[in-house]
Amino acid sequence: MILLSAYRKRGAAALAALALLASGCGPGKIIHRDYETQNGVIFCVNSTVSNLDPVSNEINVTSVTLAQNVFNRLVRYDSAQNTFLPEIASSWTVSEDALVYRFTLRDDVNFHSVPWFSPARSLTADDVVFSFERIMDYTAPAGDGSEAAAALTRSGYDILDFRHLLRVRQYVRSVTAVDRHTVEFQLVRPWPYFLELLANTNCIISSREFYDSIPDSPKKEDYFRNHPVGTGPFRLASMKFNDHIILERNPSYWLDPALPRLSKLVLDITPNRAERMNKMLTGECMVSNQPSKAVSATGGTAKNFSSLGSETYDATMIFFNTSRIPTNSPDVRRAVASAINREVYGSVLYPHSAMLPTSMLPFDVTFFATVAHQETAAAARLLAEKAPQILRRSGIVYVYIERSSSRMGYNISRLTQLLRSDLSALGLHPRVREVDARTLSRIAARNAYDIIVTRNIFPIKMPLYKLHAMFQCVDGRPAGGNYSAYCSTELQELLDRNKYLKLKDISLEDLQAINARIERDLPMMTVSIASDYYIYHPALAGIRRSANHGLDFTEAHLLAP
């Protein structure tokens, strides 16, 4: 007996699927309005994409899953061995001064044969140069020509976004084809995490031959971005924007002719979390990211399925402008912080996966539940009793909340309501606005705000790198994305010393010192944190997590019932 997964259908087919799921039978066929296939999997995702090019897309679960399964990179990170392994590159060397990385490429890597392109050659160093030139120069052919990319490139900031493309532009001086299967990277300065950068899903290798084959026209770039030609285990079969993307098995996958083991992979774009949960329970999807934990109409929950964890934290943070009245007062900042019930906010921000922060740091460090932190929290609660007297004279407070994609069910309207209510209860007169990232940057540049609320992604293994940028100061003055306008020599020295270290290598003393400094002066507070996660049907095996929230289905397969 097989499970019929009715793609975007309800009624009898869904009920039949649920009945078979309850009987313990594994899925084996997808019934879709456009096709029927054995051995397929539907992955319910919450985010859409503006095109099919990972270089010019926002990082979300859909774009990263496309990058991971349609394309390849020079190297890949193996979490089990905690090391970097060859992918398209067969080997590499590093110069003594760590400024030159030379990669030898495999000679058997083939690009996809698809209706819109038939490759005449295998992958060469010329493709690698093309792929990185479009990352390094946003005006290059097929480059990310957005205004945002241009502005961030000109800024020279370490990191204002979690897009790793900025690091390429900052650290790579040149990429050169030495010969057909050798490519050389010249760095601006030594950087120990260069391989980590190359393993990131943004740094995909695309076909120069395909780009050159597209006739010149104003729509050439759009055509390239929406007709992916990669080297990965799956290739594009069809898609409907904001609805679904259908990938099919690459029959000539260079890594192993037996892979991938699935014949089809469908990305079902379903923004609503409860709907994703119901699709899992009715058998319409076998995999889902961030489903609702609420009990569905069928009576099931996420506990019915296997799960995969995350290697990043999604953190919501409040930044107080320490250069403006009234938030330049530590007492005002503490009073506002004390009014924020982080448990309540977490349930609104991340309904399924919120974790109560044990410190002011935007990531989970369980050994931080110290007596000192508890005493600081107790002092803040006492201060809240005096808050109306302290704040009544403060007048209007301008609060800006950065809009963000709803990857984790983020309820920004409810967050706005909570902030208005809590700040008003303190005697403040809040003016709360939701703005996009570009507007927020302009407001920050004019110093026309008191409080800013943002979401940020922090890698679990190396979280202080991004935190360092948030407190970046030059000659004692705030720079870059320092929304708190807070400069501390002590804090900057601590972050400078640890920003490139993995969390496990940072001393407890330094972590506590960083947290103590932030708790004492309170330039910002972490409201809530969450870790992205996935659930999948127990009949599916072999899924691997990739960087930045994606899943790798190269070795995924259905278990026999």
Side-chain angles (χ1 to χ4, degrees):
M1 182 180 286
I2 58 175
L3 173 65
L4 300 179
S5 295
Y7 182 61
R8 293 199 181 278
K9 290 184 179 179
R10 295 293 189 271
L15 292 175
L18 179 59
L20 290 173
L21 177 63
S23 70
C25 297
K29 177 186 282 189
I30 294 176
I31 303 296
H32 185 277
R33 59 173 170 267
D34 295 327
Y35 70 86
E36 178 177 324
T37 181
Q38 295 284 345
N39 195 35
V41 165
I42 297 179
F43 178 13
C44 269
V45 295
N46 65 341
S47 48
T48 188
V49 289
S50 57
N51 59 57
L52 301 180
D53 175 29
V55 172
S56 56
N57 251 315
E58 177 189 358
I59 292 179
N60 59 41
V61 66
T62 305
S63 65
V64 174
T65 299
L66 284 171
Q68 187 65 41
N69 293 279
V70 177
F71 296 92
N72 290 105
R73 289 139 295 280
L74 288 173
V75 299
R76 66 180 179 87
Y77 177 71
D78 189 299
S79 57
Q81 301 181 52
N82 191 30
T83 190
F84 294 96
L85 299 176
E87 193 162 286
I88 284 177
S90 59
S91 63
W92 61 88
T93 59
V94 184
S95 64
E96 290 187 8
D97 60 6
L99 289 175
V100 179
Y101 284 71
R102 179 172 287 199
F103 293 85
T104 300
L105 308 180
R106 295 178 60 126
D107 60 6
D108 59 349
V109 179
N110 299 312
F111 283 103
H112 297 157
S113 291
V114 284
W116 52 91
F117 177 66
S118 295
R121 60 168 176 79
S122 59
L123 181 146
T124 69
D126 194 38
D127 298 303
V128 177
V129 172
F130 165 75
S131 299
F132 280 89
E133 282 181 344
R134 62 188 291 251
I135 294 174
M136 293 165 62
D137 181 0
Y138 65 92
T139 64
D144 180 2
S146 66
E147 291 183 21
L152 289 169
T153 301
R154 289 194 297 268
S155 72
Y157 297 143
D158 252 6
I159 183 166
L160 295 180
D161 198 345
F162 54 85
R163 295 183 67 182
H164 298 265
L165 308 182
L166 297 176
R167 297 197 212 173
V168 178
R169 295 166 185 158
Q170 181 179 2
Y171 288 102
V172 179
R173 185 185 304 279
S174 63
V175 186
T176 308
V178 178
D179 56 40
R180 185 177 175 82
H181 291 108
T182 308
V183 64
E184 186 174 277
F185 289 79
Q186 178 80 38
L187 303 190
V188 174
R189 58 184 180 273
W191 194 46
Y193 295 98
F194 182 57
L195 290 179
E196 177 193 22
L197 175 65
L198 296 184
N200 188 269
T201 46
N202 284 125
C203 294
I204 59 167
I205 307 303
S206 301
S207 169
R208 181 190 288 272
E209 182 191 7
F210 169 55
Y211 181 81
D212 291 342
S213 72
I214 305 172
D216 289 335
S217 78
K219 296 184 177 180
K220 178 170 182 171
E221 307 293 325
D222 287 340
Y223 188 89
F224 178 82
R225 291 183 178 127
N226 287 301
H227 293 77
V229 174
T231 58
F234 293 90
R235 62 188 183 185
L236 178 68
S238 65
M239 72 163 299
K240 181 180 180 181
F241 273 113
N242 301 318
D243 190 90
H244 67 270
I245 301 170
I246 302 172
L247 306 179
E248 63 184 7
R249 183 180 187 273
N250 174 11
S252 303
Y253 187 39
W254 53 272
L255 183 63
D256 185 339
L259 296 175
R261 297 172 67 175
L262 297 175
S263 62
K264 287 284 195 297
L265 173 60
V266 178
L267 304 185
D268 179 340
I269 299 170
T270 308
N272 185 276
R273 303 175 76 230
E275 187 178 354
R276 291 198 302 278
M277 184 74 247
N278 279 327
K279 285 184 176 183
M280 288 293 296
L281 290 161
T282 58
E284 292 181 70
C285 291
M286 285 198 67
V287 188
S288 175
N289 79 307
Q290 289 296 331
S292 172
K293 72 175 180 180
V295 176
S296 74
T298 62
T301 68
K303 294 181 180 178
N304 297 90
F305 304 99
S306 302
S307 63
L308 287 171
S310 172
E311 293 185 2
T312 61
Y313 287 114
D314 189 310
T316 297
M317 305 166 71
I318 290 178
F319 294 89
F320 300 101
N321 189 341
T322 61
S323 69
R324 271 174 54 114
I325 297 173
T327 48
N328 62 338
S329 165
D331 284 343
V332 170
R333 297 196 296 270
R334 292 191 189 98
V336 173
S338 70
I340 304 297
N341 185 324
R342 296 200 280 183
E343 189 167 3
V344 172
Y345 278 63
S347 67
V348 168
L349 297 169
Y350 311 110
H352 185 97
S353 54
M355 294 182 286
L356 186 64
T358 56
S359 71
M360 288 296 170
L361 301 181
F363 45 89
D364 185 42
V365 187
T366 54
F367 49 73
F368 248 122
T370 61
V371 172
H373 175 70
Q374 292 164 1
E375 288 175 350
T376 302
R381 284 193 295 271
L382 289 173
L383 180 63
E385 298 174 3
K386 301 187 297 178
Q389 290 75 31
I390 296 172
L391 301 175
R392 191 171 289 122
R393 298 185 300 274
S394 298
I396 296 175
V397 173
Y398 293 93
V399 181
Y400 295 94
I401 304 175
E402 182 182 10
R403 293 195 191 104
S404 185
S405 61
S406 301
R407 184 169 63 244
M408 292 188 174
Y410 202 75
N411 190 335
I412 197 167
S413 61
R414 179 66 177 131
L415 171 61
T416 301
Q417 293 171 0
L418 282 173
L419 282 170
R420 284 196 181 111
S421 175
D422 288 344
L423 295 177
S424 296
L426 291 173
L428 293 169
H429 305 286
R431 298 291 185 268
V432 185
R433 282 184 57 199
E434 303 166 18
V435 296
D436 58 32
R438 186 174 299 179
T439 303
L440 184 63
S441 296
R442 290 198 296 264
I443 292 169
R446 298 197 309 267
N447 198 35
Y449 65 95
D450 298 302
I451 295 172
I452 282 178
V453 184
T454 68
R455 290 177 65 193
N456 297 277
I457 303 298
F458 289 84
I460 288 176
K461 291 186 177 178
M462 195 174 67
L464 292 187
Y465 183 81
K466 191 165 186 176
L467 190 65
H468 170 270
M470 293 176 174
F471 291 107
Q472 187 173 0
C473 294
V474 177
D475 297 328
R477 302 183 63 181
N482 189 341
Y483 290 145
S484 62
Y486 172 79
C487 290
S488 161
T489 301
E490 178 188 349
L491 180 61
Q492 192 157 16
E493 288 177 353
L494 286 164
L495 293 172
D496 282 343
R497 183 163 68 237
N498 292 286
K499 67 175 180 176
Y500 292 130
L501 295 182
K502 296 185 186 301
L503 182 58
K504 64 183 180 62
D505 297 326
I506 303 172
S507 71
L508 176 58
E509 290 76 18
D510 277 1
L511 282 173
Q512 289 175 328
I514 293 168
N515 184 66
R517 170 62 68 171
I518 295 174
E519 277 197 337
R520 189 192 72 184
D521 294 343
L522 209 64
M524 72 88 179
M525 67 175 294
T526 300
V527 178
S528 186
I529 55 178
S531 185
D532 208 357
Y533 79 107
Y534 305 85
I535 61 172
Y536 60 96
H537 194 286
L540 183 62
I543 303 176
R544 291 189 322 200
R545 291 193 66 260
S546 62
N548 299 323
H549 311 289
L551 290 182
D552 183 347
F553 287 86
T554 304
E555 299 182 15
H557 58 280
L558 300 169
L559 301 174

